[in-house]
Amino acid sequence: MDATPATPARPVLEGPDIARMLTRIAHEIVERAKGAEDVVLLGIPTRGVFLARRLAAKLEEITGRAVPVGSLDITMYRDDLRLGPARTLARTDIPGDGIEGRVVLLVDDVLFSGRTIRAALDALNDIGRPRAVQLAVLVDRGHRELPIRADYVGKNLPTSLRETVKVQLAEEDGRDAVLLGVKQTTPAGER
Amino acid sequence: MKRHLISAADLSRDDAVLILDTAEEMARVADRPIKKLPTLRGRTVVNLFFEDSTRTRISFEAAAKRLSADVINFSAKGSSVSKGESLKDTALTLEAMGADAVVIRHHDSGAPHRLATSGWIGGSVINAGDGTHEHPTQALLDAFTMRRRLAGGEGDLNGRRITIVGDILHSRVARSNVHLLTTLGAEVTLVAPPTLVPVGVETWPCEVSYDLDAVVAKSDAVMMLRVQRERMNAAFFPTEREYARRYGLDGERMARMPGHAIVMHPGPMNRGMEITAEVADSPRCTAVEQVTNGVSIRMAVMYLLLGGNEPALSTPSTTSTTRTEENK
């Protein structure tokens, strides 16, 4: 987030909370996917990729089997590309065996409008035909603009549109936390 | 570089690395079953070719189509240009058709610059080779190939020794490469007969040598240029045999190159002239790889120029390139 909050963002979840949520999601995946045998985890850059890797490690702990994990960059499929300068691309890395006929579990940090996930579904379509696609997010902050919902949610965080939600992960930010802040409103009060 | 890509000299190091990094991601699309991205849907790219070209035109066309742009091919032969239409009137026609980008190759140096700065058209101009001036996308794909082979596909070309051999005088590829490779931190040496070294080369950021054997032994990449007979209006060297012996690359010379060093050629090759068949067909020669990389580079350039509402190159970092929370 580049908009600096007027009041400092306040942590609503800390490292141990995030670790517990990921463990719970991993157990739910194993339960629902009946052993998670044909699951492929695809994280959406940047932080979704780290969450996908953490989930994969937990799944391996539980099932004793390595779970394929990769990343899916959705930049070229965004619906708002024309609203700003061309964005830097991130890495798309599909595990060797592909996604054909498997259960793809998309992983992202925050679920908000749902537009990222719409783009991810389009991107997946060009890569192969999974048996099913599911979605795991760390935080669901509501305010959907598309008919999309998550299958696995770390925490439902009711927010107002004036608030910002920021996930920090040790791999990228040096610490694990979910921060809730207030968006800097334009002086004229456009909203 | 603002909205156009006219000269490799306009690119900053960060711009160049951004293009190479973007091309690296574009290259991965070529490995997928569906080699297409929806990114430039509804945009129109015109290939405006006043001069013959096989690989560059096809490469730009493939790149634009992989990004889902509409492509209009225009070649001077069989067009109104052969009836005497000027560049300006051709440009106004393209503008009236709503071209978002014009890829131009022209036999006169400076034609793309004229097109970009005249106000005739509103879209981006991409130089696909103008006279003996520049060919920036060729330099970018050469740098991309070198970075993949010599630097693990990351960062710049800091400290690499690159040698460009042959018809420097008539070569827009050499000119663009000297600028770009220097920007990326490489040390460039030009090797050519004195008659084929351009006037004013001392102002270029590179060394000049007349002794190929001495330079080849310490080069990380040797780029052979085609002797451009069609541009030669005087006797620049006595015989082709003498040229080939002193400035051509044969198996014996190649053997003196360091083990990791590569041989490059922008094509089209004159086998037996600047390069022997033995070298051209060896695994150290990247000519075919360069063609493949050309599509990725041109996709990257078109994406960065046309993908957003303004080009992503050389714009101040006021706009974040990471996903903003509003769009999650």
Side-chain angles (χ1 to χ4, degrees):
Chain A
M1 245 340 270
D2 39 0
T4 38
T7 47
R10 142 180 87 83
V12 285
L13 295 169
E14 302 278 4
D17 304 317
I18 292 175
R20 268 196 302 276
M21 286 177 340
L22 287 176
T23 308
R24 195 197 75 233
I25 290 175
H27 280 283
E28 284 179 14
I29 293 168
V30 176
E31 189 185 345
R32 275 220 245 155
K34 299 187 176 60
E37 265 178 45
D38 54 356
V39 167
V40 179
L41 296 176
L42 291 182
I44 297 173
T46 312
R47 290 176 184 75
V49 179
F50 303 125
L51 290 173
R53 288 191 196 138
R54 291 191 194 182
L55 268 180
K58 302 246 186 219
L59 285 173
E60 192 172 348
E61 255 172 54
I62 299 165
T63 64
R65 252 178 301 104
V67 179
V69 58
S71 63
L72 181 70
D73 180 44
I74 53 106
T75 309
M76 308 267 256
Y77 295 85
R78 302 180 66 101
D79 59 5
D80 60 354
L81 271 176
R82 305 280 162 91
L83 300 181
R87 290 154 185 269
T88 308
L89 303 183
R91 177 62 45 100
T92 291
D93 190 13
I94 304 298
D97 292 339
I99 59 168
E100 208 65 30
R102 310 187 69 140
V103 175
V104 169
L105 183 60
L106 296 171
V107 185
D108 204 0
D109 51 357
V110 181
L111 180 59
F112 186 13
S113 68
R115 288 176 191 269
T116 297
I117 305 305
R118 199 250 352 135
L121 292 172
D122 282 356
L124 269 186
N125 203 29
D126 283 355
I127 291 167
R129 186 177 184 279
R131 181 165 70 76
V133 183
Q134 297 179 342
L135 173 63
V137 295
L138 192 63
V139 176
D140 181 351
R141 65 165 294 189
H143 304 288
R144 213 77 75 240
E145 292 164 8
L146 294 170
I148 281 169
R149 68 166 176 81
D151 300 86
Y152 309 98
V153 180
K155 179 152 181 78
N156 284 300
L157 201 61
T159 56
S160 85
L161 283 169
R162 287 190 9 257
E163 287 171 313
T164 63
V165 177
K166 168 85 188 150
V167 172
Q168 294 189 319
L169 294 174
E171 294 92 328
E172 178 84 5
D173 313 285
R175 70 155 178 170
D176 282 1
V178 175
L179 304 178
L180 188 65
V182 178
K183 197 191 282 178
Q184 186 112 50
T185 44
T186 40
E190 279 171 22
R191 201 173 274 278
Chain B
M1 174 168 177
K2 295 286 174 286
R3 224 174 35 178
H4 313 292
L5 179 59
I6 305 299
S7 163
D10 297 343
L11 294 171
S12 67
R13 182 197 168 276
D14 287 349
D15 281 341
V17 171
L18 173 64
I19 295 173
L20 299 184
D21 288 345
T22 306
E24 198 67 56
E25 302 307 324
M26 296 294 183
R28 302 168 82 92
V29 176
D31 303 332
R32 305 191 335 196
I34 298 174
K35 300 176 186 34
K36 213 166 170 76
L37 294 163
T39 318
L40 295 186
R41 252 177 64 208
R43 305 250 167 157
T44 303
V45 175
V46 176
N47 284 328
L48 186 59
F49 277 63
F50 290 93
E51 198 184 80
D52 294 340
S53 160
T54 322
R55 73 202 74 218
T56 305
R57 191 181 57 75
I58 292 174
S59 182
F60 268 109
E61 185 173 349
K65 285 183 170 167
R66 280 195 187 165
L67 290 171
S68 302
D70 295 320
V71 183
I72 298 172
N73 284 315
F74 173 103
S75 63
K77 277 188 196 123
S79 75
S80 297
V81 171
S82 54
K83 298 176 191 166
E85 190 176 46
S86 67
L87 178 61
K88 177 174 181 178
D89 289 321
T90 307
L92 292 175
T93 307
L94 300 178
E95 178 64 5
M97 287 179 182
D100 294 293
V102 176
V103 177
I104 178 173
R105 164 164 292 194
H106 203 282
H107 40 76
D108 291 331
S109 304
H113 181 260
R114 182 90 178 106
L115 197 60
T117 53
S118 58
W120 296 332
I121 57 168
S124 296
V125 175
I126 301 173
N127 183 0
D130 59 333
T132 57
H133 176 227
E134 283 239 29
H135 192 354
T137 56
Q138 176 72 39
L140 284 163
L141 76 89
D142 289 339
F144 183 78
T145 307
M146 290 177 211
R147 194 176 81 150
R148 276 198 155 181
R149 287 287 197 113
L150 304 172
E154 280 178 9
D156 58 16
L157 294 168
N158 202 10
R160 310 286 157 177
R161 293 205 181 99
I162 317 294
T163 305
I164 305 178
V165 189
D167 187 357
I168 312 290
L169 180 63
H170 298 105
S171 178
R172 50 198 177 208
V173 176
R175 204 171 297 245
S176 288
N177 260 304
V178 167
H179 290 305
L180 181 71
L181 296 176
T182 309
T183 302
L184 288 170
E187 296 164 21
V188 184
T189 306
L190 304 176
V191 181
T195 49
L196 287 174
V197 175
V199 175
V201 76
E202 61 278 359
T203 64
W204 295 16
C206 62
E207 301 288 315
V208 178
S209 166
Y210 306 115
D211 182 359
L212 182 54
D213 285 313
V215 179
V216 146
K218 45 185 184 180
S219 300
D220 296 306
V222 178
M223 187 185 300
M224 305 306 296
L225 299 175
R226 184 173 64 92
V227 175
Q228 302 194 28
R229 285 203 198 85
E230 73 276 17
R231 293 190 212 277
M232 290 196 179
N233 46 14
F236 288 96
F237 45 83
T239 66
E240 294 191 356
R241 263 188 68 198
E242 182 171 336
Y243 179 87
R245 202 167 63 238
R246 291 197 55 185
Y247 297 101
L249 192 63
D250 57 13
E252 198 190 321
R253 274 209 175 102
M254 186 171 70
R256 267 178 253 150
M257 290 165 46
H260 67 277
I262 55 171
V263 177
M264 307 182 70
H265 197 300
M269 289 196 265
N270 285 336
R271 286 174 183 238
M273 183 77 169
E274 72 271 3
I275 191 166
T276 64
E278 182 193 357
V279 176
D281 296 331
S282 89
R284 299 176 75 172
C285 179
T286 61
V288 177
E289 203 176 312
Q290 284 167 266
V291 176
T292 309
N293 293 344
V295 178
S296 307
I297 279 289
R298 284 160 186 137
M299 285 172 78
V301 167
M302 283 194 239
Y303 168 69
L304 293 171
L305 288 181
L306 302 176
N309 63 351
E310 54 182 290
L313 297 168
S314 273
T315 45
S317 57
T318 47
T319 41
S320 168
T321 49
T322 55
R323 288 187 300 144
T324 55
E325 193 189 349
E326 281 71 20
N327 302 314
K328 286 221 167 128

